[in-house]
């Protein structure tokens, strides 16, 4: 047998050349998808790569379809960094978003505040052509979560109580260390020192297991709408100084969404209480129901199509 | 804004490589994971592959079995194992070994099989027993293919070892995932370039080893 002498090298070289030429254009490699690929009049609905977000997007899609709109589902497109440019340049018309988190994307210097202040700031910082409709009561925001045993052992009620605890290991996402409410924010606002342990499953089973087994003491990735909190009786630490951005669910739409479509989305969000959101998420996580089933049941429950 | 030139500039900055979470430490971790995973895989896979080649039995089972194992999504396997073993290196190692074993088994039995049967017959006719035939004829003559299997395993693992960062175990996946999540394409690209460089260097080393072996007397 002849050795494959230059094969792998050539492939790698070609890949490097492609990378180089792709970047030499000077623009964001993810932002150059063609505009206008979809018929006028079609509403493109996007969702994050997050089951809960996709359920909300599916509720939008089913209701808009029932109202006679042509709907294209562009679901599960990564995290905000990946899809935001598509939203900004109008390739996506409707997206279920979270007030504080989206604000921090468009205005990294934005502080936190009351939910109303955050919503106000968001409407001001959204790029032209994008509108944030009515936020829901439901939030799905960053929280610091501990087990009841750990809370009892160290007498924890609010985040600041962690300041007296040594060697706090916190489960986080990779990006958490760069966020304003990350380790630096914790130190400045609450005087709390933490050691990060990255578990990159967005508060999924690995994170929950690590918390319950005591491999980590606190998690930053179990969000307020995570069914694991009630299932395991986890303790959400209070945030009296408002370090963590509030994140109420809010539909963000482009100018292609007309008043009737906006009214439909606003009605959905007027019904989305925290319990409703938790019930949707629980149906997905604990019973493995598909997004379209969960969405259809919810629409039927609220008689939105009658 | 040229991501590639920014990435290269970042890589050329000495500060990038130093410190407890610098790229130097991440690169060493990445290499360690790769080497440990491939060594453990070889310890498991070489005896199996050599036995299949030597006895000429079990090849169908091995082909079917390794095919199934190869189809396993590594990230899914990592998550599944980590649910039982918890955090740390165990779960990534199990995932990498699962990835590496099929290539090494395939290389080993192909190598032994590739030896001209007349040469094997001649060895037996001279009175060599099974072990002697394997150790002094089949392995030396099949060595380029056997090493080829290990070479393939190394390449697969060095590229996949980035997912150790998924459970916080370090390696070059740390800067890669961070760059991906924070829209920091130069960081993402820089981490990828280091992985690519490691792959090229390791592959080149194996290429050299295979060439040298061919020159040795008594080897294929």
């Amino acid at each position: 047998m002849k050795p494959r002498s230059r094969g792998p090298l050539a492939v790698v070289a070609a890949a490097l050349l492609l990378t180089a030429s792709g970047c030499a254009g000077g623009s964001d490699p993810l932002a150059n998808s063609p505009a206008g690929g979809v018929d006028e009049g079609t509403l493109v609905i996007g969702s994050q790569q997050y089951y809960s977000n996709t359920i909300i997007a599916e509720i939008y899609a089913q209701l808009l379809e029932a109202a006679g709109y042509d709907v294209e589902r562009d679901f599960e497109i990564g995290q905000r960094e990946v899809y935001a440019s598509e939203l900004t340049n109008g390739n996506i018309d409707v997206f279920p978003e979270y007030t504080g988190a989206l604000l921090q994307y468009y205005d990294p210097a934005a502080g936190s505040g009351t939910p109303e202040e955050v919503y106000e700031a968001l409407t001001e910082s959204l790029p032209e052509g994008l509108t944030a409709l009515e936020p829901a009561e439901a939030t799905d925001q960053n929280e610091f979560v501990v087990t009841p045993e750990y809370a009892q052992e160290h007498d924890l009620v609010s985040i600041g109580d962690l300041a007296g605890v040594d060697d706090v290991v916190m489960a986080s996402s990779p990006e958490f260390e760069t966020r304003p409410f990350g380790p630096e924010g914790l130190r400045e606002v609450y005087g709390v020192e933490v050691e990060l342990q990255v578990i990159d499953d967005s508060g999924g089973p690995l994170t929950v297991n690590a918390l319950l087994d005591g491999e980590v003491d606190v998690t930053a990735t179990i969000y307020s709408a995570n069914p694991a909190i009630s299932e395991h009786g986890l303790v959400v630490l209070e945030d009296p100084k408002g370090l963590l951005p509030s994140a109420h669910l809010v539909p963000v739409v482009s100018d292609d969404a007309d008043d009737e479509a906006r009214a439909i989305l606003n009605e959905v969000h007027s019904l989305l209480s925290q319990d409703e959101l938790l019930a949707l998420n629980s149906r997905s996580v604990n019973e493995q129901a598909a997004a379209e089933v969960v969405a259809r049941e919810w629409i039927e429950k609220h008689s939105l199509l009658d | 804004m040229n991501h590639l030139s920014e990435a290269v500039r970042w890589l050329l900055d000495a500060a990038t490589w130093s410190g407890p979470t610098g790229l130097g430490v991440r690169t060493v971790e990445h290499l360690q994971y790769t080497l440990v995973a491939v060594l453990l895989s070889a310890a498991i896979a070489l005896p199996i592959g050599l036995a299949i080649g030597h006895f000429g039995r079990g090849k169908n089972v091995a082909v079917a079995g390794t095919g199934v194992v190869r189809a396993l999504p590594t990230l899914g396997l990592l998550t599944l194992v980590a649910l039982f073993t918890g955090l740390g290196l165990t779960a990534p190692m199990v995932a990498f070994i699962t990835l590496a074993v099929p290539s090494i088994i395939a290389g080993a039995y192909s190598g032994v099989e590739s030896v001209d049967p007349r040469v094997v017959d001649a060895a037996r006719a001279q009175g060599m027993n099974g072990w002697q035939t394997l150790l002094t004829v089949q392995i030396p003559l099949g060595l380029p293919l056997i090493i080829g299997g290990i070479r393939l395993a190394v390449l697969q693992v060095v590229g996949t070892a980035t997912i150790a960062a998924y459970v916080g175990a370090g390696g070059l996946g740390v800067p890669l995932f961070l760059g991906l999540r924070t829209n920091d394409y130069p960081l993402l690209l820089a981490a990828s370039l280091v992985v690519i460089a490691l792959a090229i260097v390791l592959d080149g080393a194996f290429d050299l080893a295979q060439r040298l072996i061919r020159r040795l007397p008594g080897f294929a």
Side-chain angles (χ1 to χ4, degrees), chain A residues 117-142:
Chain A
E117 286 166 357
V118 169
Y119 176 71
E120 190 73 13
L122 174 65
T123 53
E124 280 162 25
S125 65
L126 275 182
E128 202 164 324
L130 286 183
T131 311
L133 303 179
E134 292 294 316
E137 182 215 312
T139 78
D140 202 351
Q141 66 191 48
N142 284 87

Side-chain angles (χ1 to χ4, degrees), chain B residues 78-99:
Chain B
L78 169 69
T79 307
L80 190 67
V81 177
L83 280 178
F84 294 100
T85 65
L87 305 172
L89 263 182
T90 318
M93 275 299 159
V94 171
F96 301 154
I97 289 170
T98 311
L99 186 72

Side-chain angles (χ1 to χ4, degrees), chain B residues 112-125:
Chain B
V112 175
E113 270 181 357
S114 72
V115 178
D116 191 333
R118 287 171 300 184
V119 177
V120 178
D121 282 345
R124 291 200 187 268

Side-chain angles (χ1 to χ4, degrees), chain A residues 146-219:
Chain A
V146 296
T147 59
E149 296 78 24
Y150 191 79
Q152 201 166 16
E153 188 188 336
H154 298 286
D155 217 2
L156 305 175
V157 178
S158 88
I159 300 171
D161 298 336
L162 279 172
V165 185
D166 290 329
D167 302 322
V168 179
V169 179
M170 179 182 277
S172 78
S173 58
E175 66 271 24
F176 179 74
E177 62 168 300
T178 68
R179 298 296 192 225
F181 48 89
E184 245 172 76
L186 265 171
R187 191 179 308 125
E188 278 167 23
V189 176
Y190 285 108
V192 172
E193 296 283 344
V194 292
E195 183 194 330
L196 296 186
Q197 162 71 51
V198 170
I199 308 176
D200 201 3
D201 73 339
S202 311
L206 286 179
T207 306
V208 175
N209 258 23
L211 183 67
L212 296 178
D213 291 349
E215 286 188 285
V216 299
D217 305 315
V218 192
T219 68

Side-chain angles (χ1 to χ4, degrees), chain A residues 8-299:
Chain A
L9 271 178
V11 169
V12 169
L16 272 177
L17 275 176
L18 279 175
T19 314
S21 60
C23 294
S27 65
D28 187 336
L30 299 174
N32 52 10
S33 58
V38 177
D39 293 342
E40 294 281 317
T42 298
L43 284 179
V44 181
I45 304 177
S47 83
Q48 292 181 358
Q49 193 175 8
Y50 172 37
Y51 67 93
S52 173
N53 194 264
T54 301
I55 293 171
I56 308 295
E58 179 63 29
I59 291 175
Y60 295 173
Q62 291 186 13
L63 288 174
L64 290 170
E65 268 174 345
Y69 290 92
D70 283 330
V71 164
E72 187 182 306
R73 291 169 173 80
D74 222 341
F75 288 176
E76 301 276 328
I77 28 182
Q79 302 302 310
R80 193 164 292 105
E81 275 80 8
V82 180
Y83 64 74
S85 58
E86 297 296 288
L87 198 59
T88 310
N89 64 25
N91 285 338
I92 299 174
D93 300 311
V94 182
F95 213 108
E97 263 294 357
Y98 305 90
T99 50
L102 186 61
L103 172 62
Q104 226 151 37
Y105 177 82
Y106 283 116
D107 182 6
S112 38
T114 66
E116 292 74 27
E117 286 166 357
V118 169
Y119 176 71
E120 190 73 13
L122 174 65
T123 53
E124 280 162 25
S125 65
L126 275 182
E128 202 164 324
L130 286 183
T131 311
L133 303 179
E134 292 294 316
E137 182 215 312
T139 78
D140 202 351
Q141 66 191 48
N142 284 87
E143 301 280 13
F144 296 125
V145 173
V146 296
T147 59
E149 296 78 24
Y150 191 79
Q152 201 166 16
E153 188 188 336
H154 298 286
D155 217 2
L156 305 175
V157 178
S158 88
I159 300 171
D161 298 336
L162 279 172
V165 185
D166 290 329
D167 302 322
V168 179
V169 179
M170 179 182 277
S172 78
S173 58
E175 66 271 24
F176 179 74
E177 62 168 300
T178 68
R179 298 296 192 225
F181 48 89
E184 245 172 76
L186 265 171
R187 191 179 308 125
E188 278 167 23
V189 176
Y190 285 108
V192 172
E193 296 283 344
V194 292
E195 183 194 330
L196 296 186
Q197 162 71 51
V198 170
I199 308 176
D200 201 3
D201 73 339
S202 311
L206 286 179
T207 306
V208 175
N209 258 23
L211 183 67
L212 296 178
D213 291 349
E215 286 188 285
V216 299
D217 305 315
V218 192
T219 68
T221 48
I222 295 180
Y223 285 17
S224 55
N226 192 322
I229 294 176
S230 57
E231 197 190 336
H232 301 289
L234 302 178
V235 176
V236 176
L237 296 178
E238 287 169 19
D239 181 19
K241 295 185 182 170
L243 171 67
L244 296 167
S246 73
H248 290 265
L249 265 165
V250 64
V252 172
V253 298
S254 76
D255 291 343
D256 286 350
D258 59 19
D259 288 346
E260 192 196 342
R262 292 173 186 218
I264 291 171
L265 300 176
N266 278 335
E267 191 186 2
V268 169
H269 281 251
S270 70
L271 294 168
L272 265 182
S273 65
Q274 191 66 12
D275 287 343
E276 291 281 348
L277 181 62
L278 276 167
L280 289 174
N281 289 352
S282 168
R283 186 88 176 85
S284 172
V285 172
N286 296 332
E287 297 162 50
Q288 312 292 326
E292 53 190 80
V293 178
V294 181
R296 191 168 56 239
E297 289 170 353
W298 192 81
I299 290 168

